[in-house]
Amino acid sequence: MGFKKIFVLLFVFLIFQSNLNSESGIYGQFQLDTAVWSPVAYLSLIPSFNDMYTMSHSMIIDKAVIDYSGSFRFGTQYLPDKDHLFRIHFSKRKDPAASLIIGGKDENHLFLIANRAARVLIRNNCDSVITKDIQFDGYYPNIQLLQINQIAAYLDSASFEISPVKSDLIRSGVFENLRVFADTCSNPIVSLYALYKSRFESNFPLNQQFYKNFLLKWKNEETVYFEEFRKKIPVQKSRGLSFRILLFGTILFIAGFFVSLWLHKSWPKNQNPLKDLTVQERKVFSMIREGKTNKEISESLMVSLSTVKSHVNSIYSKLEINSRKDALNLFQQENQAN
Amino acid sequence: MKKLIILIVSVFLLVPMTNAQEKTAFNTARNLKLENESKEQQISIDVSDEYDTFALSIDSNIHEGKLSIEIFDPSGEKQGNFSIGCQVGGANNPTTKEVVQGQFRKTFQKPKKGKWVVKIIPQNAHAQINITVTQIQN
Protein backbone atom coordinates (compact mmCIF):
# COMPACT_ATOMS: atom_id res chain seq x y z
CA MET A 1 0.00 0.00 0.00
CA GLY A 2 2.84 2.42 0.96
CA PHE A 3 4.67 1.57 -2.23
CA LYS A 4 1.57 2.44 -4.27
CA LYS A 5 1.31 5.89 -2.63
CA ILE A 6 4.97 6.61 -3.33
CA PHE A 7 4.49 5.53 -6.94
CA VAL A 8 1.49 7.89 -7.40
CA LEU A 9 3.36 10.79 -5.77
CA LEU A 10 6.38 10.17 -7.96
CA PHE A 11 4.18 10.04 -11.06
CA VAL A 12 2.45 13.33 -10.17
CA PHE A 13 5.81 14.97 -9.46
CA LEU A 14 7.23 13.86 -12.82
CA ILE A 15 4.21 15.18 -14.71
CA PHE A 16 4.42 18.49 -12.83
CA GLN A 17 8.15 18.72 -13.49
CA SER A 18 7.79 17.99 -17.20
CA ASN A 19 5.05 20.63 -17.51
CA LEU A 20 7.26 23.13 -15.73
CA ASN A 21 10.15 22.42 -18.08
CA SER A 22 8.08 22.61 -21.23
CA GLU A 23 6.19 25.81 -20.33
CA SER A 24 6.07 28.03 -23.37
CA GLY A 25 7.75 31.42 -23.27
CA ILE A 26 10.82 33.33 -24.33
CA TYR A 27 13.50 32.95 -21.70
CA GLY A 28 16.64 35.06 -21.73
CA GLN A 29 19.89 34.89 -19.83
CA PHE A 30 22.02 37.91 -20.73
CA GLN A 31 25.27 39.33 -19.48
CA LEU A 32 24.75 43.10 -19.44
CA ASP A 33 26.82 45.95 -18.16
CA THR A 34 24.04 47.56 -16.15
CA ALA A 35 26.05 50.75 -15.81
CA VAL A 36 25.50 51.24 -19.55
CA TRP A 37 22.32 49.31 -20.31
CA SER A 38 18.90 49.56 -18.70
CA PRO A 39 17.92 46.24 -17.11
CA VAL A 40 14.91 45.88 -19.40
CA ALA A 41 14.37 43.76 -22.50
CA TYR A 42 11.81 44.82 -25.12
CA LEU A 43 9.93 42.48 -27.45
CA SER A 44 8.70 43.78 -30.83
CA LEU A 45 6.57 42.04 -33.41
CA ILE A 46 8.09 42.44 -36.86
CA PRO A 47 5.13 42.62 -39.25
CA SER A 48 7.18 42.18 -42.43
CA PHE A 49 10.77 41.58 -43.48
CA ASN A 50 10.86 45.18 -44.71
CA ASP A 51 10.38 46.30 -41.12
CA MET A 52 13.24 44.35 -39.57
CA TYR A 53 15.09 47.62 -39.06
CA THR A 54 12.09 49.80 -38.25
CA MET A 55 11.64 51.12 -34.75
CA SER A 56 8.66 52.76 -33.14
CA HIS A 57 6.91 52.52 -29.79
CA SER A 58 3.92 50.89 -31.46
CA MET A 59 6.02 47.89 -32.52
CA ILE A 60 6.96 47.06 -28.94
CA ILE A 61 4.49 44.53 -27.60
CA ASP A 62 6.05 43.62 -24.29
CA LYS A 63 8.88 44.42 -21.92
CA ALA A 64 10.54 42.29 -19.26
CA VAL A 65 12.69 43.33 -16.35
CA ILE A 66 16.11 41.71 -16.27
CA ASP A 67 16.87 40.48 -12.76
CA TYR A 68 20.22 40.59 -10.93
CA SER A 69 21.26 37.27 -12.53
CA GLY A 70 20.57 38.55 -16.05
CA SER A 71 17.39 36.49 -16.52
CA PHE A 72 14.15 37.66 -18.08
CA ARG A 73 11.02 36.05 -19.51
CA PHE A 74 8.33 37.01 -22.02
CA GLY A 75 5.05 35.13 -21.93
CA THR A 76 3.86 33.80 -25.28
CA GLN A 77 0.23 33.03 -24.45
CA TYR A 78 -0.97 36.10 -26.39
CA LEU A 79 1.18 35.46 -29.47
CA PRO A 80 -0.32 34.13 -32.71
CA ASP A 81 -0.63 30.37 -33.24
CA LYS A 82 1.53 30.50 -36.34
CA ASP A 83 5.18 31.46 -36.42
CA HIS A 84 6.03 35.15 -36.56
CA LEU A 85 9.24 37.12 -36.56
CA PHE A 86 10.10 39.03 -33.38
CA ARG A 87 12.90 41.29 -32.22
CA ILE A 88 14.33 41.64 -28.72
CA HIS A 89 16.26 44.81 -28.01
CA PHE A 90 17.93 46.53 -25.09
CA SER A 91 18.35 50.26 -24.56
CA LYS A 92 21.15 52.23 -23.04
CA ARG A 93 20.34 54.08 -19.85
CA LYS A 94 20.62 57.47 -21.54
CA ASP A 95 18.57 56.42 -24.60
CA PRO A 96 14.80 56.16 -25.09
CA ALA A 97 13.17 52.74 -24.84
CA ALA A 98 12.54 52.72 -28.57
CA SER A 99 16.11 52.83 -29.81
CA LEU A 100 17.70 50.71 -32.47
CA ILE A 101 21.45 50.38 -32.94
CA ILE A 102 22.54 48.61 -36.12
CA GLY A 103 26.13 47.43 -36.35
CA GLY A 104 29.16 48.21 -34.24
CA LYS A 105 29.95 47.04 -30.73
CA ASP A 106 26.75 48.54 -29.35
CA GLU A 107 24.37 46.62 -31.61
CA ASN A 108 21.38 46.15 -29.37
CA HIS A 109 18.96 43.73 -30.98
CA LEU A 110 18.43 40.19 -32.20
CA PHE A 111 15.69 38.44 -34.16
CA LEU A 112 13.81 35.30 -33.25
CA ILE A 113 10.87 33.21 -34.38
CA ALA A 114 8.12 32.29 -31.96
CA ASN A 115 4.47 31.36 -31.66
CA ARG A 116 1.99 30.82 -28.83
CA ALA A 117 3.31 27.37 -27.94
CA ALA A 118 7.02 27.98 -28.54
CA ARG A 119 9.60 27.67 -25.82
CA VAL A 120 12.67 29.74 -26.72
CA LEU A 121 15.83 29.98 -24.66
CA ILE A 122 18.40 32.70 -25.47
CA ARG A 123 21.75 33.31 -23.91
CA ASN A 124 24.65 35.63 -24.70
CA ASN A 125 28.23 34.81 -23.88
CA CYS A 126 29.79 38.23 -24.21
CA ASP A 127 28.97 41.29 -22.13
CA SER A 128 31.07 43.74 -24.14
CA VAL A 129 28.92 43.22 -27.25
CA ILE A 130 25.56 42.06 -25.97
CA THR A 131 24.24 40.58 -29.20
CA LYS A 132 27.47 38.76 -30.01
CA ASP A 133 27.87 35.05 -29.33
CA ILE A 134 24.17 34.45 -29.02
CA GLN A 135 23.06 30.93 -28.27
CA PHE A 136 19.53 29.65 -28.89
CA ASP A 137 17.93 26.58 -27.43
CA GLY A 138 14.44 25.16 -27.50
CA TYR A 139 12.33 26.08 -30.52
CA TYR A 140 14.40 24.77 -33.41
CA PRO A 141 13.80 27.47 -36.11
CA ASN A 142 15.83 29.91 -34.00
CA ILE A 143 18.87 27.67 -34.18
CA GLN A 144 18.53 27.77 -37.97
CA LEU A 145 18.15 31.55 -37.82
CA LEU A 146 21.47 31.71 -36.02
CA GLN A 147 23.10 29.53 -38.68
CA ILE A 148 21.87 31.95 -41.35
CA ASN A 149 23.31 34.90 -39.41
CA GLN A 150 26.63 33.10 -39.19
CA ILE A 151 26.70 32.50 -42.95
CA ALA A 152 25.79 36.14 -43.66
CA ALA A 153 28.34 37.45 -41.13
CA TYR A 154 31.09 35.86 -43.19
CA LEU A 155 30.61 38.69 -45.68
CA ASP A 156 31.92 41.26 -43.20
CA SER A 157 34.67 39.14 -41.71
CA ALA A 158 36.01 38.09 -45.11
CA SER A 159 36.38 41.58 -46.53
CA PHE A 160 39.70 42.37 -44.85
CA GLU A 161 42.80 42.69 -46.98
CA ILE A 162 41.50 40.95 -50.06
CA SER A 163 41.15 42.01 -53.65
CA PRO A 164 37.78 43.27 -54.97
CA VAL A 165 37.58 40.24 -57.29
CA LYS A 166 38.01 37.81 -54.43
CA SER A 167 35.54 39.81 -52.38
CA ASP A 168 32.95 39.47 -55.16
CA LEU A 169 33.56 35.73 -55.36
CA ILE A 170 33.08 35.38 -51.61
CA ARG A 171 29.87 37.41 -51.78
CA SER A 172 28.52 35.21 -54.56
CA GLY A 173 29.43 32.10 -52.57
CA VAL A 174 27.76 33.37 -49.41
CA PHE A 175 24.57 34.31 -51.25
CA GLU A 176 24.52 30.93 -52.98
CA ASN A 177 24.84 29.20 -49.59
CA LEU A 178 21.95 31.25 -48.29
CA ARG A 179 19.80 30.28 -51.28
CA VAL A 180 20.63 26.61 -50.72
CA PHE A 181 19.65 27.06 -47.07
CA ALA A 182 16.37 28.66 -48.12
CA ASP A 183 15.71 25.88 -50.61
CA THR A 184 16.26 23.04 -48.15
CA CYS A 185 14.76 24.56 -45.01
CA SER A 186 11.46 23.16 -43.76
CA ASN A 187 10.32 26.27 -41.89
CA PRO A 188 8.76 28.90 -44.19
CA ILE A 189 9.83 31.98 -42.22
CA VAL A 190 13.38 30.75 -41.72
CA SER A 191 13.50 29.95 -45.41
CA LEU A 192 12.34 33.44 -46.32
CA TYR A 193 14.76 34.98 -43.79
CA ALA A 194 17.63 33.25 -45.61
CA LEU A 195 16.45 34.65 -48.96
CA TYR A 196 16.21 38.19 -47.60
CA LYS A 197 19.75 37.86 -46.24
CA SER A 198 20.89 36.74 -49.70
CA ARG A 199 19.76 40.06 -51.23
CA PHE A 200 17.46 38.30 -53.64
CA GLU A 201 16.50 41.49 -55.51
CA SER A 202 19.79 41.56 -57.39
CA ASN A 203 19.84 37.81 -57.97
CA PHE A 204 16.26 37.43 -59.20
CA PRO A 205 16.81 38.51 -62.84
CA LEU A 206 19.60 35.92 -63.19
CA ASN A 207 17.93 33.03 -61.43
CA GLN A 208 14.19 33.30 -62.06
CA GLN A 209 13.50 29.56 -62.11
CA PHE A 210 14.81 29.19 -58.56
CA TYR A 211 12.34 31.80 -57.26
CA LYS A 212 9.51 30.29 -59.28
CA ASN A 213 10.20 26.90 -57.69
CA PHE A 214 10.52 28.50 -54.27
CA LEU A 215 7.09 30.13 -54.56
CA LEU A 216 5.63 26.88 -55.84
CA LYS A 217 7.01 25.07 -52.80
CA TRP A 218 5.37 27.56 -50.42
CA LYS A 219 2.23 28.20 -52.48
CA ASN A 220 -0.03 27.46 -49.48
CA GLU A 221 1.72 29.94 -47.20
CA GLU A 222 -0.61 32.87 -46.68
CA THR A 223 1.28 34.84 -44.05
CA VAL A 224 2.02 38.53 -44.55
CA TYR A 225 5.68 37.67 -44.96
CA PHE A 226 4.97 35.57 -48.05
CA GLU A 227 2.38 37.94 -49.48
CA GLU A 228 4.97 40.69 -49.34
CA PHE A 229 7.63 38.47 -50.93
CA ARG A 230 5.28 37.45 -53.77
CA LYS A 231 4.77 41.12 -54.61
CA LYS A 232 8.52 41.55 -54.94
CA ILE A 233 8.95 38.57 -57.25
CA PRO A 234 7.23 39.27 -60.58
CA VAL A 235 7.03 35.59 -61.55
CA GLN A 236 4.04 35.02 -63.82
CA LYS A 237 1.59 32.51 -62.50
CA SER A 238 1.29 29.38 -64.67
CA ARG A 239 -2.02 29.35 -66.54
CA GLY A 240 -4.23 26.31 -66.86
CA LEU A 241 -4.55 24.18 -70.01
CA SER A 242 -8.05 25.50 -70.72
CA PHE A 243 -6.75 29.06 -70.69
CA ARG A 244 -4.04 28.17 -73.22
CA ILE A 245 -6.55 26.41 -75.51
CA LEU A 246 -8.87 29.43 -75.30
CA LEU A 247 -6.01 31.79 -76.06
CA PHE A 248 -4.88 29.66 -79.03
CA GLY A 249 -8.46 29.48 -80.38
CA THR A 250 -8.91 33.23 -80.11
CA ILE A 251 -5.66 33.88 -81.96
CA LEU A 252 -6.69 31.46 -84.71
CA PHE A 253 -10.11 33.08 -85.01
CA ILE A 254 -8.64 36.59 -85.31
CA ALA A 255 -6.05 35.37 -87.84
CA GLY A 256 -8.79 33.60 -89.84
CA PHE A 257 -10.92 36.73 -89.87
CA PHE A 258 -8.13 38.87 -91.28
CA VAL A 259 -7.10 36.24 -93.83
CA SER A 260 -10.68 35.94 -95.13
CA LEU A 261 -10.98 39.73 -95.24
CA TRP A 262 -7.79 39.92 -97.27
CA LEU A 263 -8.89 37.14 -99.64
CA HIS A 264 -12.26 38.80 -100.12
CA LYS A 265 -10.60 42.06 -101.12
CA SER A 266 -7.81 40.64 -103.23
CA TRP A 267 -9.71 37.96 -105.20
CA PRO A 268 -11.41 39.14 -108.44
CA LYS A 269 -15.14 39.54 -108.15
CA ASN A 270 -17.42 36.95 -109.76
CA GLN A 271 -17.52 37.65 -113.48
CA ASN A 272 -21.01 36.25 -113.93
CA PRO A 273 -23.15 37.45 -111.01
CA LEU A 274 -26.15 35.48 -112.34
CA LYS A 275 -24.38 32.32 -111.19
CA ASP A 276 -25.17 33.32 -107.62
CA LEU A 277 -28.93 33.25 -108.35
CA THR A 278 -31.13 30.19 -107.70
CA VAL A 279 -33.08 28.58 -110.53
CA GLN A 280 -36.27 30.32 -109.48
CA GLU A 281 -34.50 33.66 -109.11
CA ARG A 282 -33.05 33.31 -112.62
CA LYS A 283 -36.54 32.78 -113.97
CA VAL A 284 -37.75 35.87 -112.12
CA PHE A 285 -34.73 37.84 -113.34
CA SER A 286 -35.33 36.88 -116.97
CA MET A 287 -38.98 38.03 -116.65
CA ILE A 288 -37.84 41.34 -115.11
CA ARG A 289 -35.56 41.66 -118.10
CA GLU A 290 -38.58 41.16 -120.35
CA GLY A 291 -40.29 44.08 -118.58
CA LYS A 292 -42.89 42.03 -116.67
CA THR A 293 -44.39 43.36 -113.45
CA ASN A 294 -44.38 41.42 -110.18
CA LYS A 295 -48.01 40.52 -110.64
CA GLU A 296 -47.37 39.14 -114.13
CA ILE A 297 -44.41 37.16 -112.86
CA SER A 298 -46.52 35.68 -110.01
CA GLU A 299 -49.19 34.60 -112.49
CA SER A 300 -46.63 33.14 -114.90
CA LEU A 301 -44.78 31.20 -112.20
CA MET A 302 -47.97 30.46 -110.28
CA VAL A 303 -46.60 31.72 -107.00
CA SER A 304 -47.88 34.39 -104.66
CA LEU A 305 -47.03 38.05 -105.12
CA SER A 306 -45.15 38.13 -101.79
CA THR A 307 -42.94 35.25 -102.96
CA VAL A 308 -42.10 37.17 -106.15
CA LYS A 309 -41.25 40.26 -104.06
CA SER A 310 -39.02 38.16 -101.88
CA HIS A 311 -37.22 36.78 -104.95
CA VAL A 312 -36.85 40.28 -106.40
CA ASN A 313 -35.32 41.57 -103.14
CA SER A 314 -32.94 38.63 -103.07
CA ILE A 315 -31.90 39.28 -106.68
CA TYR A 316 -31.29 42.98 -105.94
CA SER A 317 -29.17 42.03 -102.97
CA LYS A 318 -27.10 39.40 -104.79
CA LEU A 319 -26.53 41.57 -107.86
CA GLU A 320 -25.99 44.67 -105.72
CA ILE A 321 -28.65 46.69 -107.64
CA ASN A 322 -31.55 48.87 -106.46
CA SER A 323 -34.13 48.84 -109.29
CA ARG A 324 -35.43 47.09 -112.42
CA LYS A 325 -33.65 49.72 -114.45
CA ASP A 326 -30.33 48.65 -112.86
CA ALA A 327 -31.19 45.05 -113.79
CA LEU A 328 -31.67 46.00 -117.43
CA ASN A 329 -28.46 48.04 -117.43
CA LEU A 330 -26.61 45.11 -115.94
CA PHE A 331 -27.92 42.90 -118.66
CA GLN A 332 -26.84 45.39 -121.34
CA GLN A 333 -23.32 45.70 -119.80
CA GLU A 334 -22.94 41.92 -119.82
CA ASN A 335 -23.98 41.76 -123.46
CA GLN A 336 -21.47 44.47 -124.39
CA ALA A 337 -18.72 42.70 -122.44
CA ASN A 338 -19.48 39.41 -124.13
CA MET B 1 79.28 52.04 -27.47
CA LYS B 2 78.17 55.64 -27.61
CA LYS B 3 77.39 55.23 -31.30
CA LEU B 4 75.35 52.15 -30.56
CA ILE B 5 73.27 53.98 -27.94
CA ILE B 6 72.69 56.87 -30.33
CA LEU B 7 71.62 54.40 -33.01
CA ILE B 8 69.17 52.61 -30.70
CA VAL B 9 67.70 55.90 -29.47
CA SER B 10 67.33 57.09 -33.05
CA VAL B 11 65.57 53.90 -34.04
CA PHE B 12 63.15 54.21 -31.11
CA LEU B 13 62.43 57.80 -32.05
CA LEU B 14 61.90 57.09 -35.73
CA VAL B 15 59.68 54.02 -35.41
CA PRO B 16 56.68 55.87 -33.91
CA MET B 17 57.08 58.61 -36.50
CA THR B 18 56.95 56.16 -39.38
CA ASN B 19 53.94 54.39 -37.82
CA ALA B 20 52.17 57.69 -37.43
CA GLN B 21 52.69 58.37 -41.10
CA GLU B 22 51.26 54.99 -42.14
CA LYS B 23 47.64 55.79 -41.44
CA THR B 24 45.80 58.94 -42.32
CA ALA B 25 42.23 59.44 -41.26
CA PHE B 26 39.86 61.88 -42.91
CA ASN B 27 36.70 62.77 -41.01
CA THR B 28 33.65 64.67 -42.13
CA ALA B 29 30.50 65.33 -40.18
CA ARG B 30 27.13 66.68 -41.20
CA ASN B 31 24.20 67.60 -39.00
CA LEU B 32 20.64 68.01 -40.20
CA LYS B 33 17.62 69.29 -38.36
CA LEU B 34 14.21 68.53 -39.85
CA GLU B 35 11.12 70.52 -38.88
CA ASN B 36 7.94 68.96 -40.25
CA GLU B 37 9.95 67.92 -43.29
CA SER B 38 8.72 65.60 -46.04
CA LYS B 39 11.18 66.35 -48.79
CA GLU B 40 13.60 63.59 -49.72
CA GLN B 41 17.29 64.47 -49.54
CA GLN B 42 20.43 62.74 -50.70
CA ILE B 43 23.91 63.12 -49.31
CA SER B 44 26.76 61.98 -51.54
CA ILE B 45 30.06 60.79 -50.16
CA ASP B 46 33.06 60.42 -52.46
CA VAL B 47 35.17 57.39 -51.72
CA SER B 48 38.40 57.56 -53.66
CA ASP B 49 41.17 55.07 -54.38
CA GLU B 50 43.46 56.45 -51.74
CA TYR B 51 41.32 55.21 -48.82
CA ASP B 52 41.13 51.58 -47.77
CA THR B 53 38.56 51.88 -45.01
CA PHE B 54 35.30 53.71 -45.06
CA ALA B 55 33.31 54.00 -41.82
CA LEU B 56 29.83 55.42 -41.79
CA SER B 57 28.06 56.41 -38.62
CA ILE B 58 24.52 57.78 -38.56
CA ASP B 59 22.76 58.94 -35.40
CA SER B 60 19.17 60.03 -35.60
CA ASN B 61 16.28 60.72 -33.32
CA ILE B 62 12.72 61.71 -34.05
CA HIS B 63 9.88 63.03 -31.94
CA GLU B 64 7.21 63.31 -34.60
CA GLY B 65 6.56 61.80 -38.01
CA LYS B 66 8.57 59.15 -39.75
CA LEU B 67 12.11 58.97 -41.06
CA SER B 68 13.77 56.36 -43.28
CA ILE B 69 17.45 56.29 -44.10
CA GLU B 70 18.97 54.14 -46.83
CA ILE B 71 22.63 53.69 -47.71
CA PHE B 72 23.68 52.81 -51.28
CA ASP B 73 27.12 51.97 -52.63
CA PRO B 74 28.36 53.36 -56.00
CA SER B 75 26.84 50.40 -57.89
CA GLY B 76 23.40 51.24 -56.48
CA GLU B 77 23.26 48.25 -54.15
CA LYS B 78 21.62 48.93 -50.82
CA GLN B 79 24.13 48.47 -48.02
CA GLY B 80 21.85 49.23 -45.13
CA ASN B 81 18.69 50.94 -44.03
CA PHE B 82 16.57 51.74 -41.05
CA SER B 83 13.37 53.60 -40.19
CA ILE B 84 12.19 55.31 -37.06
CA GLY B 85 8.78 56.75 -36.36
CA CYS B 86 6.52 58.33 -33.77
CA GLN B 87 2.76 58.00 -33.79
CA VAL B 88 2.02 60.20 -30.79
CA GLY B 89 3.70 63.19 -29.23
CA GLY B 90 4.63 66.48 -30.80
CA ALA B 91 2.68 69.67 -30.42
CA ASN B 92 -0.73 67.93 -30.40
CA ASN B 93 0.03 65.73 -27.46
CA PRO B 94 2.93 67.18 -25.50
CA THR B 95 2.21 65.24 -22.33
CA THR B 96 3.02 61.92 -23.98
CA LYS B 97 5.97 63.17 -25.95
CA GLU B 98 8.11 60.28 -27.05
CA VAL B 99 11.44 60.00 -28.78
CA VAL B 100 12.62 57.21 -31.01
CA GLN B 101 16.26 56.74 -31.81
CA GLY B 102 18.06 54.98 -34.63
CA GLN B 103 21.78 54.47 -35.08
CA PHE B 104 23.74 52.88 -37.89
CA ARG B 105 27.40 51.92 -37.70
CA LYS B 106 29.22 50.16 -40.45
CA THR B 107 32.84 49.89 -41.50
CA PHE B 108 33.62 48.85 -45.05
CA GLN B 109 37.07 47.47 -45.74
CA LYS B 110 38.18 47.96 -49.34
CA PRO B 111 34.99 49.89 -50.14
CA LYS B 112 33.72 50.31 -53.69
CA LYS B 113 35.18 53.50 -55.13
CA GLY B 114 32.85 56.25 -56.24
CA LYS B 115 29.80 58.07 -54.90
CA TRP B 116 28.12 56.52 -51.90
CA VAL B 117 24.67 57.91 -51.23
CA VAL B 118 22.78 58.36 -47.99
CA LYS B 119 19.13 58.82 -48.84
CA ILE B 120 16.99 60.58 -46.24
CA ILE B 121 13.23 60.06 -46.62
CA PRO B 122 11.19 61.99 -44.05
CA GLN B 123 7.41 62.09 -43.63
CA ASN B 124 6.27 65.09 -41.62
CA ALA B 125 9.39 64.52 -39.58
CA HIS B 126 10.68 66.50 -36.66
CA ALA B 127 14.08 64.94 -36.33
CA GLN B 128 17.81 65.36 -36.00
CA ILE B 129 20.39 63.47 -38.01
CA ASN B 130 24.15 63.38 -37.57
CA ILE B 131 26.21 61.70 -40.25
CA THR B 132 29.89 61.08 -39.62
CA VAL B 133 32.20 59.67 -42.26
CA THR B 134 35.70 58.44 -41.56
CA GLN B 135 38.01 57.40 -44.37
CA ILE B 136 41.32 55.83 -43.47
CA GLN B 137 44.36 55.57 -45.69
CA ASN B 138 46.72 52.70 -44.80
Side-chain angles (χ1 to χ4, degrees), chain A residues 50-51 53-58 92 94-104 106 156 159-164 168 171 175 199 202, chain B residues 52 61-62 66 68 73 77-88 98-110 112 138:
Chain A
N50 284 342
D51 291 316
Y53 300 106
T54 297
M55 176 57 85
S56 69
H57 283 278
S58 61
K92 288 184 176 176
K94 62 182 175 57
D95 291 343
S99 69
L100 186 66
I101 306 173
I102 302 161
D106 290 337
D156 294 329
S159 62
F160 289 93
E161 302 301 327
I162 56 168
S163 68
D168 283 347
R171 280 164 58 83
F175 293 156
R199 299 185 190 171
S202 53
Chain B
D52 297 308
N61 60 66
I62 189 166
K66 195 181 171 192
S68 296
D73 70 16
E77 189 177 345
K78 195 191 277 183
Q79 292 291 345
N81 69 292
F82 68 92
S83 297
I84 49 176
C86 280
Q87 287 188 334
V88 293
E98 64 176 22
V99 178
V100 178
Q101 187 176 287
Q103 294 177 11
F104 179 87
R105 310 261 182 274
K106 196 155 184 180
T107 301
F108 301 90
Q109 302 292 339
K110 306 266 181 192
K112 286 184 182 170
N138 285 329

Side-chain angles (χ1 to χ4, degrees), chain A residues 46-69:
Chain A
I46 307 297
S48 76
F49 280 97
N50 284 342
D51 291 316
M52 283 176 72
Y53 300 106
T54 297
M55 176 57 85
S56 69
H57 283 278
S58 61
M59 288 176 79
I60 300 172
I61 57 171
D62 203 357
K63 65 178 186 178
V65 174
I66 303 171
D67 68 16
Y68 65 93
S69 67

